[in-house]
Amino acid sequence: MSAAARPPASRAGRVAFVLKGYPRLSETFIAQEIAALERRGLDIQIVSLRHPTDRARHPVHERIRAPILYLPEYLKDAPRRVLAGWREARGLPGFGAARLMWLADLARDPTPNRVRRWGQALVLAAELPSDIGHVHAHFLHTPASVARYAATMRRLRWSVSAHAKDIWTTPDWEKRAKLASVAWAATCTGDGRDHLAALAPSPNIVSLAYHGLDFDCFPPPHRASGMEDGGDPARPVVILSVGRTVAKKGYDDLLEALALLPPGLAWRFVHIGGGALAGRLKRLATRLEIAERVEWRGALAQPEVLAAYREADLFVLAAKITQDGDRDGMPNVLMEAQSQGLACVATRLPGIAELIEDCGTGVLVPPGDPRALALALAALIRDPARRARLATAGEAHVRRDFDMQRGITVWWHCSGFRLRPRPWPLSEVSGAASCESPSTRR
């Protein structure tokens, strides 16, 4: 969209947050962000592309007061609603421009998903409350498509937060088109910021805002680190991982690594999280003959996850880049584990290396390398004093540099989403994988 064709500055009013699903246990960072923005006075309308699938809810979901508008997840399930949306949307001032936008996208991506997002956008544009002054999408893929089409129909400005999969699996042509029409964009890693800034018409459109942690929900653990060293079968070292059982989390590599640990080492592995690959991973653990040492707890609410952090001795995340380019950004679970005084072993992905410094706040190994991961785990299992040093350094680092309020402040510079946010200088994240002192990176 050319500058001349951009909608005018957003009217004062509420902000619609377009999410893929709400509430979701795996997206705590979005919920804590909404709650923090509400506390600062932002009036939010949540729009969800699907109904929730998780049975449990985090406590932060109970604090959120925003009303929720659920769009039809599948157009065939709500034909009358979609038809009514189309009839209403045709009379909106930006319908013609939005239709041309969608047809151009459809020509390059002739998929049912593209048609589905257009149908959802018709419903959203028709049903969006009249006092909404700005539309914001969380994730650059499907939520941003719906937000872009609907905002164009309503002649509203829109913005987007990009995170991980949505950055690396969305084609460049689509990212360019979306970044050309947003008022501003934010992302939570320097690596993602650099990538999107190179595709944007102006690099200053894209800001870096680490989502960080709400330390009211993750207070200091007030416990001494365990001194187990893997030598007593009655007191095994508890290794914890929290994450969905999806390919990019690397749980197949982690299980392979655990199977490579020396036979006489006493350890137990606890996994928390849902996901489609749970059955396959359980079968893999059986084939590797470690199933009796592995506990699968499934998806849990935040208080139970917090208790698991405090019971563990070591945290591990074996994330990797999948064949389609999907990868983690900066996993919140690593921040959470460090906030609870856990030494962390993770893989050297760009976003993770912005959080964990291999020279003192954790241990990084190459992704997709079970043997290197096994060596790192075995060394830390045997050395509780080193685990304690890493835990202390990691906790201090995350509490100093990754407080959620810092990222929220970047957002608040948007003046109620009416102005472009103040970008964080790239110098603040350059050299994130180097051995610089944590005190030099504010």
Side-chain angles (χ1 to χ4, degrees):
M1 183 183 297
S2 68
R6 288 183 186 275
S10 299
R11 300 184 298 271
R14 295 193 296 144
V15 176
F17 270 51
V18 181
L19 314 177
K20 191 169 185 180
Y22 181 85
R24 300 184 75 182
L25 291 178
S26 62
E27 294 176 358
T28 314
F29 65 97
I30 294 178
Q32 71 177 19
E33 183 178 276
I34 291 173
L37 288 168
E38 282 191 330
R39 287 199 298 271
R40 293 202 181 193
L42 194 64
D43 197 348
I44 296 171
Q45 166 75 59
I46 294 173
V47 178
S48 178
L49 306 189
R50 61 174 60 163
H51 284 268
T53 55
D54 297 318
R55 294 182 180 179
R57 291 165 65 96
H58 291 312
V60 66
H61 293 130
E62 307 302 329
R63 300 200 304 269
I64 292 171
R65 296 290 177 258
I68 308 169
L69 170 63
Y70 287 103
L71 300 179
E73 183 173 355
Y74 297 101
L75 306 186
K76 63 181 179 60
D77 295 337
R80 292 184 179 179
R81 190 177 175 195
V82 175
L83 180 60
W86 172 71
R87 287 173 175 166
E88 178 70 22
R90 283 188 307 166
L92 294 174
F95 177 79
R99 183 174 179 275
L100 290 175
M101 184 183 289
W102 171 66
L103 289 174
D105 292 345
L106 184 65
R108 303 193 71 163
D109 177 34
T111 61
N113 182 63
R114 186 65 61 179
V115 176
R116 180 178 166 194
R117 301 312 168 194
W118 174 248
Q120 289 182 310
L122 292 172
V123 174
L124 176 56
E127 298 183 5
L128 199 63
S130 60
D131 61 347
I132 295 295
H134 188 105
V135 179
H136 182 78
H138 256 292
F139 295 106
L140 192 54
H141 48 15
T142 49
S145 294
V146 175
R148 179 183 176 222
Y149 300 148
T152 301
M153 286 185 242
R154 293 288 292 264
R155 296 287 291 156
L156 296 173
R157 280 161 48 110
W158 74 285
S159 52
V160 64
S161 291
H163 300 290
K165 179 179 181 178
D166 54 319
I167 297 175
W168 305 110
T169 63
T170 302
D172 284 356
W173 67 263
E174 186 172 353
K175 286 180 282 196
R176 286 192 182 95
K178 288 173 176 174
L179 291 170
S181 68
V182 294
W184 56 271
T187 188
C188 55
T189 66
D191 185 46
R193 195 271 174 191
D194 290 349
H195 175 77
L196 294 179
L199 297 174
S202 169
N204 286 337
I205 288 174
V206 186
S207 294
L208 171 64
Y210 290 130
H211 39 69
L213 281 188
D214 181 353
F215 291 118
D216 290 339
C217 299
F218 290 91
H222 300 299
R223 66 167 173 83
S225 298
M227 297 307 291
E228 289 76 13
D229 62 2
D232 183 355
R235 299 176 62 190
V237 171
V238 178
I239 304 168
L240 174 67
S241 189
V242 180
R244 291 176 297 133
T245 55
V246 294
K248 70 178 178 181
K249 298 295 184 180
Y251 284 115
D252 52 346
D253 295 336
L254 177 53
L255 292 176
E256 295 275 1
L258 293 173
L260 291 172
L261 292 175
L265 213 55
W267 57 269
R268 182 166 62 88
F269 174 61
V270 175
H271 173 265
I272 294 174
L277 299 182
R280 186 184 305 178
L281 291 170
K282 291 176 183 178
R283 292 190 294 272
L284 176 59
T286 299
R287 288 200 305 274
L288 295 171
E289 300 182 347
I290 60 171
E292 71 280 359
R293 293 188 176 198
V294 178
E295 180 182 352
W296 306 92
R297 295 187 183 177
L300 298 176
Q302 197 172 70
E304 296 167 286
V305 178
L306 180 60
Y309 286 131
R310 296 182 173 195
E311 293 165 0
D313 299 296
L314 180 61
F315 189 88
V316 60
L317 189 66
K320 58 185 175 182
I321 300 174
T322 61
Q323 290 184 348
D324 65 355
D326 190 13
R327 70 197 73 175
D328 265 332
M330 185 179 290
N332 255 40
V333 293
L334 287 172
M335 297 185 212
E336 293 173 2
Q338 288 188 313
S339 80
Q340 296 309 298
L342 276 179
C344 291
V345 179
T347 43
R348 195 176 287 108
L349 295 182
I352 291 174
E354 291 178 45
L355 171 67
I356 292 182
E357 298 170 349
D358 198 24
C359 303
T361 62
V363 174
L364 297 179
V365 300
D369 191 340
R371 188 166 297 278
L373 182 56
L375 290 173
L377 289 172
L380 285 176
I381 289 171
R382 291 190 175 110
D383 194 344
R386 186 181 176 214
R387 292 201 308 267
R389 289 195 299 271
L390 290 172
T392 299
E395 182 181 356
H397 176 55
V398 78
R399 290 188 181 277
R400 181 184 63 242
D401 294 340
F402 292 92
D403 188 316
M404 175 192 67
Q405 294 302 329
R406 185 177 182 184
I408 294 298
T409 296
V410 173
W411 282 51
W412 204 245
H413 278 287
C414 304
S415 184
F417 284 69
R418 286 178 297 224
L419 300 174
R420 202 163 57 220
R422 175 178 58 84
W424 283 14
L426 290 181
S427 60
E428 294 193 13
V429 295
S430 62
S434 69
C435 296
E436 62 194 11
S437 167
S439 63
T440 65
R441 291 181 61 239
R442 293 292 181 182

